[in-house]
Amino acid sequence: MLFDALPDSVSIYEVSPRDGLQNEAVTVPTTRKLRLIEALAQAGLTRIEATSFVSPKWVPQLADADEVAGLLPRVPDVTFSALCPNAKGLERALTTKIPEIAVFISASETHNRKNVNNTVEGTLAAFGEVIAPAVKAGLRVRGYVSTLWGCPYEGEIDPRAGLRIAHRLVEMGCYQISLGDTIGVGTPKQTRDILRLFMSEFSIPQIAMHMHDTRGTALANVVVGLELGIRTFDASVGGLGGCPYAPGAAGNVATEDLVFMLDGMGVKTGVDLEKLWTAGQVAKAVVGRDLPGKVHKAGVRSLRH
Amino acid sequence: MLFDALPDSVSIYEVSPRDGLQNEAVTVPTTRKLRLIEALAQAGLTRIEATSFVSPKWVPQLADADEVAGLLPRVPDVTFSALCPNAKGLERALTTKIPEIAVFISASETHNRKNVNNTVEGTLAAFGEVIAPAVKAGLRVRGYVSTLWGCPYEGEIDPRAGLRIAHRLVEMGCYQISLGDTIGVGTPKQTRDILRLFMSEFSIPQIAMHMHDTRGTALANVVVGLELGIRTFDASVGGLGGCPYAPGAAGNVATEDLVFMLDGMGVKTGVDLEKLWTAGQVAKAVVGRDLPGKVHKAGVRSLRH
């Protein structure tokens, strides 16, 4: 049975310019961000979250969101998106040509409070001023539901709490919900159970997996998703971003590792691994530190002769 | 179907004192090796490859094999083993109380030549002076078949070449064959195919998986093995050992990452993850460098509150 019904292709949603850079200690100059984004697009990535229209007070690393959005390269078939936490963010997004925004909420009440200084219910209410107006303005809206595999404050999270939030987001107009293992504690059997729960109430295109590799289990969890039919995976080149709860530890699954595995399984991504590796080297230069991605460290050329 | 027939427990074969330390640039003093071995046993590991009776000329890092073997702690239920490449190695092993030895051969002709300076056929012939005499002397003998998922010199390897070698090893007396992804290029569908091939001709207890995490796919491949019924997995605490073909890259899958995943899946290992994490810190101190293991870096205490 195993892998007999793999999809021909899957969709990779690249988060490094936003989710990666917002977790870096350094603030990267705008031109360098654009160089990274350009390299990602050249590698064949077609969905790139470029920045976040969040208050510079909260995320100074992305204070240049308007400038980045205005200078995005025009590449055929590439959809850029940006995080929009509130109505003010949407207002800024609407002055740009970005065709897609994303909203972010936690399945954990405590994590949500610490992250956005609001209750889950309060955050959902505030999304009323973001999601529907964005859809009305012709934007697509994607929702993140984080800490579904576990919370750094509350520990285990009932995935049904995340399911209820996801329903609210979809009702408000989100076309896809990205299920997040925000602290990288997920294991494969748990992943099976969480995905089955969401798949029982949503369609495959509505579900994405956003896995962190903090304990080395990201690709093992992705394999479970593949086997169950999931076709959208978030990733960050080089594993850019790290884990805010464990300094020095890995965060987002590295896009190179994901593409390497999918290539080996015959699942198309549209991404050229050599060029992606080059984009990872750009990312490393841009942040000026070693990145945790495995293929990023091991290299591509030695892979396949 | 997925994970509905997981084994209650699996067996972990710890390779860090041999496979890990032999790939380190530094030669670790004997007392420190014994301290690592003691920490591994205290964590609950019951199969530990402690050293190698190889010529000090080839592997100076393990030149103290006789001394290490003579000073091994006596811990109930722990089986220590040692690599024995030839008759001379066996002779040395037989002067110790080590109850198990291992032999090592590549599925790739070129890798085998570069690794042991002999053809595959010549290596098998030389094993005639090791395996049967060892079994006759009351030792258990384990066989490694390496580069099954790919070779740094030849690229793709026909797994049937490895299968023929495995049959020879079993005929000579090996109780178990450890299938090695020596350079960490394996992907899950390939793993499924390789395991199915070996499972069609060998029993489950005869098969072990020895996966490297060089491209981040080790646990994804282990999950495939678990789903297919494999119950023995090699690992190295902290990911000790690195990859000799890619400096700075990861090698052996980290025992902590493996145990973390298995704990999360409800599969017993007998290993206490907290104590194992401590053994990983000992390993780090012993070699004096950062190790690549993910749980090793992220910590255990933050995992489960």
Side-chain angles (χ1 to χ4, degrees):
Chain A
M1 301 282 293
L2 204 53
F3 307 141
D4 284 344
L6 284 177
D8 283 341
S9 67
V10 299
S11 174
I12 297 181
Y13 184 92
E14 172 69 27
V15 301
S16 59
R18 195 278 302 172
D19 192 9
L21 294 179
Q22 81 172 25
N23 285 309
E24 288 295 319
V26 299
T27 296
V28 172
T30 309
T31 51
R32 290 182 164 223
K33 287 179 183 168
L34 290 163
R35 199 169 140 233
L36 170 61
I37 291 167
E38 180 86 35
L40 295 168
Q42 278 174 357
L45 288 160
T46 55
R47 298 168 77 190
I48 302 174
E49 197 164 289
T51 187
S52 173
F53 291 107
V54 65
S55 165
K57 202 174 69 184
W58 296 112
V59 186
Q61 295 94 328
L62 304 183
D64 60 356
D66 309 83
E67 205 179 345
V68 167
L71 293 168
L72 288 171
R74 297 205 185 177
V75 193
D77 305 324
V78 175
T79 300
F80 292 107
S81 58
L83 201 69
C84 279
N86 49 38
K88 183 148 174 54
L90 175 61
E91 203 179 291
R92 289 166 68 193
L94 288 174
T95 69
T96 73
K97 287 184 178 160
I98 281 190
E100 176 169 332
I101 64 165
V103 296
F104 190 99
I105 189 168
S106 289
S108 152
E109 192 68 46
T110 314
H111 184 263
N112 199 68
R113 234 178 261 252
K114 300 245 185 193
N115 198 43
V116 297
N117 200 28
N118 200 346
T119 60
V120 165
E121 198 50 48
T123 304
L124 286 169
F127 285 167
E129 298 173 29
V130 182
I131 301 174
V135 171
K136 204 173 161 193
L139 303 184
R140 296 222 300 173
V141 185
R142 193 171 195 252
Y144 287 104
V145 178
S146 74
T147 64
L148 258 171
W149 276 256
C151 166
Y153 310 108
E154 295 185 14
E156 274 184 46
I157 294 295
D158 183 345
R160 287 170 300 181
L163 191 70
R164 285 190 294 271
I165 294 167
H167 273 298
R168 298 277 294 278
L169 294 176
V170 168
E171 284 158 18
M172 284 193 263
C174 286
Y175 76 94
Q176 186 170 70
I177 307 299
S178 176
L179 310 179
D181 179 13
T182 312
I183 55 171
V185 289
T187 49
K189 203 169 171 182
Q190 178 192 21
T191 300
R192 176 199 71 180
D193 295 342
I194 290 174
L195 292 178
R196 282 189 179 157
L197 178 68
F198 279 80
M199 290 171 73
S200 71
E201 307 204 5
F202 295 104
S203 69
I204 291 289
Q206 288 179 306
I207 303 172
M209 289 175 73
H210 180 106
M211 308 311 290
H212 279 214
D213 204 26
T214 317
R215 276 92 191 172
T217 56
L219 291 184
N221 290 319
V222 166
V223 160
V224 173
L226 279 172
E227 176 67 7
L228 294 180
I230 301 298
R231 296 188 187 192
T232 305
F233 302 93
D234 297 0
S236 180
V237 78
L240 191 72
C243 173
Y245 305 98
N252 288 299
V253 66
T255 317
E256 299 95 317
D257 298 358
L258 176 63
V259 170
F260 173 77
M261 186 177 83
L262 292 167
D263 276 0
M265 299 177 79
V267 178
K268 293 189 190 74
T269 63
V271 178
D272 179 314
L273 187 54
E274 290 267 1
K275 290 181 183 169
L276 183 63
W277 185 84
T278 302
Q281 300 308 306
V282 171
K284 181 182 175 175
V286 152
V287 296
R289 69 169 183 98
D290 280 342
L291 299 181
K294 293 276 169 94
V295 169
H296 172 80
K297 283 181 196 290
V300 173
R301 230 161 256 114
S302 61
L303 305 182
R304 303 228 183 82
H305 310 265
Chain B
M1 301 282 291
L2 204 54
F3 307 141
D4 284 343
L6 283 178
D8 283 340
S9 66
V10 298
S11 173
I12 297 181
Y13 183 92
E14 173 68 27
V15 301
S16 59
R18 195 277 304 172
D19 192 9
L21 293 179
Q22 81 172 27
N23 284 309
E24 288 295 319
V26 298
T27 296
V28 172
T30 309
T31 50
R32 291 183 163 222
K33 287 179 182 167
L34 290 163
R35 199 169 141 233
L36 170 61
I37 291 167
E38 180 86 36
L40 294 167
Q42 279 175 356
L45 288 159
T46 55
R47 300 169 75 190
I48 302 174
E49 197 163 289
T51 187
S52 172
F53 292 107
V54 66
S55 165
K57 202 174 68 184
W58 295 112
V59 186
Q61 295 95 328
L62 303 183
D64 60 355
D66 309 83
E67 204 180 346
V68 167
L71 292 168
L72 288 171
R74 298 204 185 180
V75 193
D77 305 323
V78 176
T79 301
F80 292 108
S81 59
L83 201 70
C84 278
N86 50 36
K88 183 147 174 54
L90 176 61
E91 203 178 291
R92 288 165 70 193
L94 288 173
T95 69
T96 72
K97 288 184 178 159
I98 280 190
E100 175 168 333
I101 63 165
V103 296
F104 190 97
I105 188 168
S106 288
S108 152
E109 192 66 46
T110 313
H111 184 264
N112 199 68
R113 234 178 261 253
K114 299 243 185 195
N115 199 42
V116 298
N117 201 27
N118 200 348
T119 61
V120 165
E121 199 50 48
T123 304
L124 285 169
F127 285 167
E129 297 173 30
V130 181
I131 301 174
V135 171
K136 207 175 159 191
L139 302 186
R140 296 220 301 173
V141 185
R142 192 171 196 254
Y144 287 103
V145 179
S146 73
T147 65
L148 258 171
W149 276 256
C151 166
Y153 310 108
E154 295 185 14
E156 273 184 46
I157 295 294
D158 183 345
R160 287 170 300 181
L163 191 70
R164 286 189 293 271
I165 294 168
H167 273 297
R168 297 278 294 277
L169 294 175
V170 168
E171 283 158 17
M172 285 193 264
C174 286
Y175 76 95
Q176 185 169 71
I177 307 299
S178 175
L179 310 179
D181 179 13
T182 311
I183 55 171
V185 289
T187 48
K189 203 170 170 182
Q190 179 192 20
T191 300
R192 176 199 71 180
D193 295 342
I194 290 174
L195 292 177
R196 281 189 179 157
L197 178 67
F198 279 81
M199 289 172 73
S200 71
E201 307 203 6
F202 294 104
S203 68
I204 291 290
Q206 288 178 307
I207 304 172
M209 289 175 73
H210 180 108
M211 307 311 289
H212 278 214
D213 204 25
T214 318
R215 275 94 190 170
T217 56
L219 291 184
N221 290 319
V222 166
V223 160
V224 173
L226 279 173
E227 176 67 6
L228 293 180
I230 301 298
R231 296 188 187 191
T232 305
F233 302 93
D234 298 359
S236 180
V237 78
L240 192 71
C243 173
Y245 306 98
N252 288 299
V253 65
T255 317
E256 298 95 317
D257 298 358
L258 177 63
V259 170
F260 173 77
M261 186 178 83
L262 292 167
D263 276 0
M265 299 176 79
V267 177
K268 293 190 191 74
T269 63
V271 178
D272 179 314
L273 187 53
E274 290 267 2
K275 289 181 184 169
L276 182 63
W277 186 84
T278 302
Q281 300 308 307
V282 172
K284 180 182 177 176
V286 153
V287 297
R289 70 169 182 99
D290 281 342
L291 299 181
K294 292 276 170 93
V295 169
H296 171 81
K297 283 180 196 292
V300 173
R301 230 161 256 114
S302 61
L303 304 182
R304 304 228 183 84
H305 311 267

